[in-house]
Amino acid sequence: MTTFQLDSRLKQDSIQVARLELCEVRLINDIRWPWLVLVPRDPALVEIFDLDDHKQLLLAREISLASRFLKQMTSAEKINTGALGNIVRQLHIHVIARNSGDANWPGPVWGFGRAEPYSI
């Protein structure tokens, strides 16, 4: 495995909140949605199928853990999960808590309005 280096765009838009066995867990710095990003610590990964079978299962468990955490913490109606990577190629998985009436409901969170950073 090569040395882990987070894509600069992910680093700029998020705050590290945890480190799991496979992934770094980051909070997108936008109060409009509770939004986590899981980033496997191998910068060469682009697609989920780039992981071996064991790491794919581990990733699925970590996504489930993050999803359950967001559901419990926010009482969200829906947890959206996606690995798009059209702009940021480094493999990362978005886990987003959504509720009817939230910003841009039921539309996508990407590209909607201007981010509202947390005051930390």
Side-chain angles (χ1 to χ4, degrees):
M1 185 185 304
T2 56
T3 304
F4 177 66
Q5 186 170 346
L6 184 66
D7 181 279
S8 61
R9 291 161 291 198
L10 289 174
K11 191 172 192 172
Q12 173 186 318
D13 294 343
S14 63
I15 304 155
Q16 183 177 356
V17 294
R19 184 178 169 112
L20 302 175
E21 185 176 344
L22 178 66
C23 294
E24 180 172 298
V25 182
R26 302 188 65 87
L27 174 68
I28 293 293
N29 192 12
D30 188 344
I31 63 172
R32 296 176 299 165
W33 304 282
W35 181 348
L36 298 175
V37 175
L38 281 68
V39 186
R41 287 184 302 278
D42 181 341
L45 299 171
V46 175
E47 307 291 352
I48 292 173
F49 58 77
D50 292 337
L51 294 162
D52 65 33
D53 291 347
H54 170 74
K55 287 184 179 175
Q56 285 182 36
L57 291 172
L58 184 56
L59 177 61
R61 283 196 298 264
E62 291 182 2
I63 291 168
S64 182
L65 178 68
S67 299
R68 279 187 257 127
F69 172 80
L70 277 182
K71 179 80 170 178
Q72 181 180 13
M73 295 304 294
T74 67
S75 300
E77 294 172 28
K78 183 70 176 93
I79 301 294
N80 292 174
T81 306
L84 292 94
N86 294 335
I87 296 172
V88 175
R89 300 286 180 181
Q90 182 177 24
L91 179 60
H92 62 287
I93 297 83
H94 299 270
V95 183
I96 310 161
R98 299 296 307 268
N99 285 294
S100 55
D102 72 19
N104 207 36
W105 177 268
V109 297
W110 287 275
F112 177 77
R114 174 170 261 160
E116 298 175 21
Y118 288 93
S119 58
I120 48 174

